[in-house]
Every structure is written in C-alpha cells, then in structure tokens.
Amino acid sequence: MKRFGILCDGGDAPGINTAIRAISRASFEREFEILGFSDGFEGLIHNDVKIMTKQAVSGILNEGGSILGISRVNPFKDPKYTGLIKENFKKNSLTLLMLIGDRDTVVIAKKLSDEGIPSIIIPKTIDNDVYGTDFSVGFYSAVNTISNALDNLHATTSAHHRLMIVETMGRETGWLALFGGLAGGADYIVIPEVPYSLENIARHVENRKNEGKNFSIIIVSEGTPLNEEIEKSLEKDEFGHPVSGKRRIGYYIAENLEKMTNIKARTTVLGYIQRGGVPVVEDRILATRLGIMAVEYAAMGKFNGIVGIKNSEVVFTPLEDSAYKINIADTKYLELARLFF
Ligand code: F6P
C-alpha cells in the first residue's frame, strides 16, 4: 500500500490540473492513496491536507491554475520548516512526494532527499528551463498565448507604422521569446542566450523600412541582461531571482530604438497572461503522460528524480543530474526564425 502527497511549487502553468488528475487516476487504478497539500510547501509545513478522491479530480483536465493552489515558498529558509515537513511527512504515513514543480523545486527535492524525504518531480513551468526534459508542462500553452498576442499586435503596429517591443517571461532563458517569436512571426528576437546590440536591431529595422516594411515587431525575453549596475540593483524573490518585469528590458529597448531610428516605439509586457488560460493539447498530453509515468516509477520503487520527455519518450533523470542546471534555449530555432526577419 502506497500513499503519495501531491503539491504544486513555483509559478503556476497551464496543465497543472491535468497532471494532478493523471497522478491521481493512475494511483487509484493501483489502489494507492493520494493526499493533496494546499498551496505548495506551505500546506506541507502547516499540514493543510486533504484526501484526493476520484470526484475531486473530475472535470479538471482543461482548467488553468491549480485546484490545490501553489506557492513559491523556500522550505529551507528556516530550519523550523524543514522539521515540520519531516514531521508531517511521517504523520501522514507518506511513501513519497509528487512535486509538480520547476527548476527551484528540483533543488528543494534534492535537499529533501538528503533529509530522507523521497520525491518525484513532474516538471511544469512556462519558462521550459528544467534540466532533464525537452519540454515542461505549460510551455506550449504560454507559446500559444504569445503567438496570439503577436497576431493582434501585428495589426496595430503595422497600422501605425511603429516599432513594437514585446516582452515575454522566461527568466534566464529565451524559450518563450524564441518559440513565441517563431510562431507569431516576430521581426527580431532577443534572448539571454545570444548577445545582442541595439545598433544591430536599429540597422535591421531601418533595412526593413528601406524594403518598404514600415513597422517591426521585436520580441525580447525578460531575463536578457542589461548593464551590471542595473542587474545588481534588481529586487529579488525568495530564491534570488529578479522579480518579473522589474528589469524593464522591453522599455529600455523601445526608448533607445526610438532615439536611434526616429520611428515611434511602444512596449507590451505580456506578463501573467502567459501563465493563465486553458492548457493546449500538447500540455494536456504531456501532463497526462508524465503524471501516469510518475506513478509507474513510484510503483517500481524508482524515485528522487524528474519524469521528463526526451525525443518523445518519457525518461527519468536523477535529481543530482538536474539540480542547479538550466535547460537553456536551443539557438538552432533562432537560425530558423532569422530567415523571416
Ligand atoms: O517561472 C515562471 C515565471 O512566470 C517566470 O517567467 C517569471 O519570471 C516568474 O515566474 C514570476 O514569478 P512570480 O509569480 O513569483 O512573480
């Protein structure tokens, strides 16, 4: 008889509920029990828990957000939290934790395993930066949102003959800007993985103008670094990441390009819209496959790892091979996108 605790850690992403449903249904099939902790590690710390039933996970396949809630709480911030987590893990007779989480969750899980608490991670993040999987749950839904936004922005930007700088989320990686820009036909893509220069962007915009294209859409990932001074002064979250939107890279590029090209420039920061909405089919299928396989691995006694997808196959990556690493954006997609700039 196995008993799993599910919790959602980090930022939300479309497809979390699909994963909760898959883990739960696969567990019920094997007569394993599932406990759901509210609001991520906060629920485990305060023992805010409920038994998951077939009814509780019914009708949630296509719902955004998380029926269990989610939080970005560092359980190692205070030794008291770690003690409470160990106590509640034992009190609830858990076999292991099913963590629907991101890159920070992998580090937390590694530290928990050192404390004797086993887990399996189902990677979800719109940033797609978890090492050990080609794609994380939620990424394609966010790309879909970005692509739709670019369709809308094309109309207004071309009508006004302007420059539109579109800022996406993505932290230190450029997956969202890259795939969103490729899918939505951006005229220039700026990502942290590739150094950029304002002069090159300005030249490109002017070349387009000379070819009769009197507007340009430039997409930029929020984590593209600015100068050292600004980087140091940025407000950080509990895990040391700059708070989303504070770098204002989209505004920085717009202000400078306007001066350099004499073309009016505007900025659209897509923000949390990218995290909402219903999961697209790719995320529904991914979350379902990973959720079911997480239970299979647990049944086999395989844990302390990430259940990911590589070359369309579900794979298991041990925590120590993933923690502290980043899945950076594959720049071969930028080569493809450049063909259309
Ligand atoms: O990790 C997902 C993400 O949406 C990042 O793209 C963004 O920088 C961050 O979360 C925002 O997090 P929060 O919800 O803590 O503001």
Side-chain angles (χ1 to χ4, degrees), residues 96-232:
L96 57 78
L97 295 175
M98 292 284 182
L99 302 174
I100 304 178
D102 59 21
R103 198 150 57 82
D104 294 326
T105 322
V106 184
V107 175
I108 293 171
K110 173 74 186 72
K111 290 184 183 168
L112 285 176
S113 77
D114 296 339
E115 297 284 335
I117 298 194
S119 65
I120 295 186
I121 294 194
I122 294 88
K124 68 81 204 118
T125 164
I126 64 164
D127 301 343
N128 202 35
D129 58 353
V130 176
Y131 191 90
T133 186
D134 288 344
F135 295 106
S136 292
V137 172
F139 170 64
Y140 268 114
S141 302
V143 170
N144 194 50
T145 301
I146 297 166
S147 173
N148 288 339
L150 289 197
D151 287 349
N152 288 356
L153 290 170
H154 256 109
T156 168
T157 311
S158 66
H160 283 274
H161 317 315
R162 281 173 173 161
L163 305 180
M164 182 61 72
I165 322 301
V166 184
E167 183 180 311
T168 68
M169 283 189 165
R171 288 234 166 105
E172 292 98 328
T173 66
W175 285 108
L176 287 172
L178 191 51
F179 271 49
L182 190 55
D187 304 308
Y188 205 92
I189 300 177
V190 183
I191 56 173
E193 287 84 350
V194 179
Y196 74 98
S197 96
L198 290 169
E199 287 72 22
N200 284 349
I201 309 176
R203 203 171 310 121
H204 179 68
V205 161
E206 274 156 1
N207 287 344
R208 274 176 53 84
K209 198 173 171 191
N210 294 338
E211 286 169 8
K213 292 179 178 161
N214 54 8
F215 76 99
S216 290
I217 297 191
I218 295 137
I219 190 163
V220 56
S221 176
E222 65 173 0
T224 305
L226 281 168
N227 61 57
E228 224 174 283
E229 207 181 314
I230 294 181
E231 291 304 315
K232 270 197 212 140

Side-chain angles (χ1 to χ4, degrees), residues 230-261:
I230 294 181
E231 291 304 315
K232 270 197 212 140
S233 68
L234 291 173
E235 184 189 341
K236 308 279 179 350
D237 70 11
E238 212 163 292
F239 290 87
H241 306 293
V243 171
S244 189
K246 296 280 177 178
R247 190 181 272 107
R248 296 172 65 83
I249 179 86
Y251 290 98
Y252 169 82
I253 293 180
E255 277 157 28
N256 281 286
L257 282 188
E258 186 167 294
K259 279 189 217 139
M260 293 163 88
T261 62

Side-chain angles (χ1 to χ4, degrees), residues 69-80:
I70 187 163
S71 69
R72 212 186 275 292
V73 166
N74 184 354
F76 289 92
K77 199 176 157 190
D78 185 336
K80 202 172 72 197

